[in-house]
Amino acid sequence: TNGLTVHELAQEIKQPDTEVIKFLFFKGIATNINQTLDIPTAKMVAEAFEVEVETAEAESEAKKTTEMLDDADLENLKQRPPVVTIMGHVDHGKTSLLDAIRKAKVASGEAGGITQHIGAYHVDVEHDGNKRQVVFLDTPGHEAFTAMRARGTRVTDIAVLVVAADDGVRPQTIEAISHAKAAQVPIVTAINKIDKETASADRVKQELMEHGLVPEEWGGDSIMVPVSAITGENLDLLLEMLLLQAEVEDLNANPDRLAKGTVIEANLDKARGPVATLLIQNGTLRIGDSMVVGSVFGKVRAMIDDRLNRVEAASPSFAVEVLGLNDVPQAGDEFEIFASEKEARSVADDRATDQRQSRIQQSLASRRVTLNTLS
Ligand code: GTP
Ligand code: MG
């Protein structure tokens, strides 16, 4: 044969005529669907579209792994709250902002209402007439990102970039932007300290534009909210904007399965034994669940939420303190739940053996190097 028409090719590669002709038009190859293409050209087009199809698949694959979802979950997704971390230059008000939001939104009458007790807290926000939540991690943003990059998982959904309006964009601001971009985490900017006389939100916006963040009000797609951690101005608006950004991100998980997630922090408590704060990223964690974290295992004996309440279950995006592990797991490790304690123990044992073996091999290897050097 001496080729096929654009229309025939479009059918062959299962693409709309309009897409194929658009592609060919911009390449200057063809202008209507009845035009005949030679075989090499047709192949080139097919490859170009195949690549696009593959990329789309790869993206949804990547989304699944970064969000800890598998195929079965995709049929049972429910909206989950955004998990937010705060980044920014030293002294620009990261801690003050976290504290101000907690004080403003968590009733002080509630147990643990004011004092920070685990490395995360949630606030309730009225959004479009619904009660929604935002979860804040107080892990320094850059640490959360480093852990994420090392593991390819996503602990943070949104980064709040704090920039002091009286100081503007500084080195760590720029560093924070590049960290978030590399991790593909969207940025919502809090232009802080607007109560100060020398504050200029516009100057901050201008400086941020030089680093690729263009505010919505200037035609870009970056959300920027002027706030004050001291007076509390616009904190509600900031929360509102975080929920708006969360809607864009389409954050989902399947609560009807065994939990999966990441250790935020862990330590050995003299009275209670190993204590781990876990971020639930998929499924629901329940009392009695058999857990493996690295080579640590156990049965969830008690769970305490960020407001010091004992809870029976924890759902996606929430953080809880968990008791019942046989040892202190590592922050950043992922946890998994198994159907039985026996299974959990054997998975943990296998991992412990693997770890021992690789340690032995490493030490043998280093000894060999030493012998070689000596001889
Ligand atoms: P590091 O943890 O050291 O990086 O600092 P940070 O970003 O956590 O800043 P922090 O919250 O400690 O605030 C630094 C200083 O700025 C403190 O003296 C705060 O009281 C002050 N500050 C924070 N937010 C505001 C604000 O909105 N207005 C004013 N006027 N001062 C603020
Ligand atoms: Mg601080």
Side-chain angles (χ1 to χ4, degrees):
T1 67
N2 48 7
L4 71 176
T5 67
V6 175
H7 174 68
E8 285 164 348
L9 172 65
Q11 292 207 309
E12 206 64 46
I13 61 174
K14 299 191 175 61
Q15 295 293 322
D17 286 354
T18 49
E19 285 305 310
V20 179
I21 195 67
K22 203 157 70 189
F23 175 84
L24 290 166
F25 177 81
F26 282 117
K27 285 220 175 305
I29 296 171
T31 53
N32 82 69
I33 59 165
N34 298 317
Q35 223 162 309
T36 305
L37 304 171
D38 60 22
I39 297 299
T41 307
K43 268 200 180 131
M44 180 273 290
V45 176
E47 268 161 25
F49 276 89
E50 216 86 81
V51 167
E52 280 169 29
V53 171
E54 264 171 25
T55 327
E57 271 170 17
E59 265 171 27
S60 94
E61 245 346 273
K63 195 167 160 65
K64 259 165 42 189
T65 42
T66 55
E67 300 198 352
M68 292 197 172
L69 303 176
D70 53 39
D71 287 331
D73 294 329
L74 297 180
E75 282 154 32
N76 210 0
L77 293 179
K78 299 220 170 62
Q79 193 179 55
R80 63 175 179 82
V83 178
V84 176
T85 51
I86 305 221
M87 316 176 81
H89 193 74
V90 59
D91 271 357
H92 278 196
K94 300 176 292 294
T95 306
S96 304
L97 199 61
L98 266 174
D99 289 348
I101 293 169
R102 188 174 54 233
K103 279 181 195 138
K105 305 302 291 185
V106 183
S108 51
E110 266 179 278
I114 294 294
T115 52
Q116 175 91 20
H117 126 87
I118 61 178
Y121 70 83
H122 78 272
V123 294
D124 299 312
V125 185
E126 203 42 41
H127 182 70
D128 285 344
N130 297 309
K131 192 180 143 192
R132 303 267 300 275
Q133 279 90 24
V134 178
V135 175
F136 288 90
L137 293 186
D138 82 347
T139 331
H142 59 274
E143 273 177 34
F145 286 116
T146 314
M148 276 166 62
R149 257 215 306 277
R151 279 152 213 283
T153 58
R154 192 167 161 148
V155 181
T156 305
D157 300 308
I158 301 172
V160 170
L161 178 67
V162 180
V163 187
D166 62 338
D167 198 25
V169 170
R170 302 294 306 276
Q172 284 167 275
T173 316
I174 298 166
E175 208 177 297
I177 295 172
S178 66
H179 272 304
K181 279 192 177 156
Q184 292 183 305
V185 171
I187 296 171
V188 169
T189 304
I191 302 177
N192 191 30
K193 308 198 187 184
I194 50 156
D195 58 287
K196 285 196 153 183
E197 233 161 70
T198 50
S200 167
D202 275 356
R203 190 181 59 131
V204 172
K205 287 179 193 172
Q206 230 138 31
E207 290 174 355
L208 286 171
M209 286 232 292
E210 287 164 31
H211 298 279
L213 297 182
V214 183
E216 278 184 319
E217 54 276 28
W218 295 356
D221 60 0
S222 199
I223 300 178
M224 298 184 187
V225 189
V227 301
S228 168
I230 298 293
T231 67
E233 190 172 344
N234 280 345
L235 295 186
D236 279 321
L237 184 63
L238 177 63
L239 291 170
E240 187 77 17
M241 290 301 137
L242 289 172
L243 286 173
L244 216 59
Q245 183 70 50
E247 267 166 22
V248 174
E249 302 304 310
D250 198 19
L251 305 172
N252 294 309
N254 171 13
D256 301 321
R257 54 162 287 160
L258 299 175
K260 265 190 193 183
T262 301
V263 179
I264 300 178
E265 52 188 46
N267 56 64
L268 187 62
D269 185 288
K270 273 192 194 119
R272 302 183 295 168
V275 180
T277 300
L278 307 178
L279 176 71
I280 316 298
Q281 292 174 280
N282 197 12
T284 298
L285 183 66
R286 293 172 200 285
I287 299 276
D289 279 351
S290 298
M291 178 180 297
V292 177
V293 201
S295 56
V296 171
F297 72 95
K299 221 175 164 74
V300 177
R301 203 172 69 223
M303 283 195 276
I304 300 122
D305 73 5
D306 53 328
R307 298 184 187 177
L308 277 177
N309 299 311
R310 278 188 169 254
V311 291
E312 296 287 313
S315 48
S317 293
F318 288 91
V320 280
E321 205 175 59
V322 166
L323 308 185
L325 294 171
N326 75 330
D327 202 352
V328 180
Q330 277 212 299
D333 270 1
E334 284 170 19
F335 74 84
E336 246 185 297
I337 302 302
F338 287 85
S340 72
E341 196 175 5
K342 204 174 136 199
E343 203 180 331
R345 180 191 290 260
S346 104
V347 171
D349 282 350
D350 287 350
R351 288 191 190 164
T353 310
D354 285 350
Q355 281 175 6
R356 256 194 311 277
Q357 244 146 26
S358 74
R359 265 202 302 273
I360 291 169
Q361 253 144 28
Q362 264 165 20
S363 101
L364 285 178
S366 66
R367 229 168 285 173
R368 234 184 334 266
V369 172
T370 322
L371 287 176
N372 287 343
T373 330
L374 286 177
S375 63

